[in-house]
Amino acid sequence: MFGKKKSFDREEQSELSDRLSILLSVQLAVSGTRSNDVTKIEVTKGLINRKAIGYIYGFIDCALQFRDQDITDISVGLPILYHVMRNLFPGHEQAYIDFLMYHMEDEVVVLGMMAGGQEYKEFLQANGTVFGLARFIREG
């Protein structure tokens, strides 16, 4: 069984998605608002905060890695990513996932991914609160 991933059923995926949505929504709640917001990570239509969306991806990716799962596994990563995006940004989830897929090598998105992954690790180690997403949103 060496090298074989543990099964990760739909119930476990749903629980993880809900937990991640809550952790990220707390950060969205403290990020403040601007009058032009389409959503918290899109100030004007089509202008997506690349670092913030990368942070969300990195946060989810790290959570999956800690469960011996791979975000690039289409049967695990995509449903969780979609569920979290739908919870955080109802009606915008598909556009944001599409944006991510086309910008995976964008250096600003990658910086956000690294920060999201690192903060998830810190959250697990210190069981504290993380606010990188809120900071990226405030910085624009």
Side-chain angles (χ1 to χ4, degrees):
M1 291 291 253
F2 181 74
K4 187 166 175 124
K5 292 181 188 174
K6 296 184 268 182
S7 70
F8 198 61
D9 65 31
R10 292 210 186 271
E11 186 176 324
E12 291 171 307
Q13 290 178 28
S14 181
E15 282 181 29
L16 178 60
S17 297
D18 290 342
R19 271 194 233 117
L20 292 172
S21 294
I22 290 167
L23 288 169
L24 292 166
S25 66
V26 167
Q27 293 191 57
L28 290 175
V30 299
S31 68
T33 59
R34 293 177 288 221
S35 60
N36 297 358
D37 284 351
V38 175
T39 69
K40 294 276 190 166
I41 64 168
E42 189 175 5
V43 178
T44 59
K45 186 72 176 152
L47 184 59
I48 295 171
N49 182 323
R50 297 176 300 160
K51 198 178 279 187
I53 201 163
Y55 178 97
I56 293 168
Y57 183 94
F59 201 82
I60 294 168
D61 183 27
C62 190
L64 286 168
Q65 288 178 37
F66 270 87
R67 286 156 183 82
D68 199 28
Q69 300 298 315
D70 186 348
I71 198 167
T72 63
D73 179 343
I74 199 92
S75 67
V76 174
L78 188 58
I80 290 175
L81 183 61
Y82 186 86
H83 185 76
V84 171
M85 289 293 193
R86 185 182 63 211
N87 284 341
L88 298 177
F89 312 109
H92 300 272
E93 60 275 6
Q94 190 60 55
Y96 291 172
I97 290 171
D98 290 346
F99 180 88
L100 269 169
M101 296 306 115
Y102 288 108
H103 293 87
M104 294 299 283
E105 295 183 16
D106 177 297
E107 71 179 49
V108 175
V109 173
V110 171
L111 285 173
M113 289 176 186
M114 291 174 13
Q118 182 60 41
E119 283 209 343
Y120 186 82
K121 286 178 191 172
E122 291 171 9
F123 168 76
L124 289 180
Q125 292 169 350
N127 202 20
T129 308
V130 291
F131 289 105
L133 178 58
R135 186 179 70 248
F136 293 153
I137 290 170
R138 281 194 309 271
E139 291 172 356

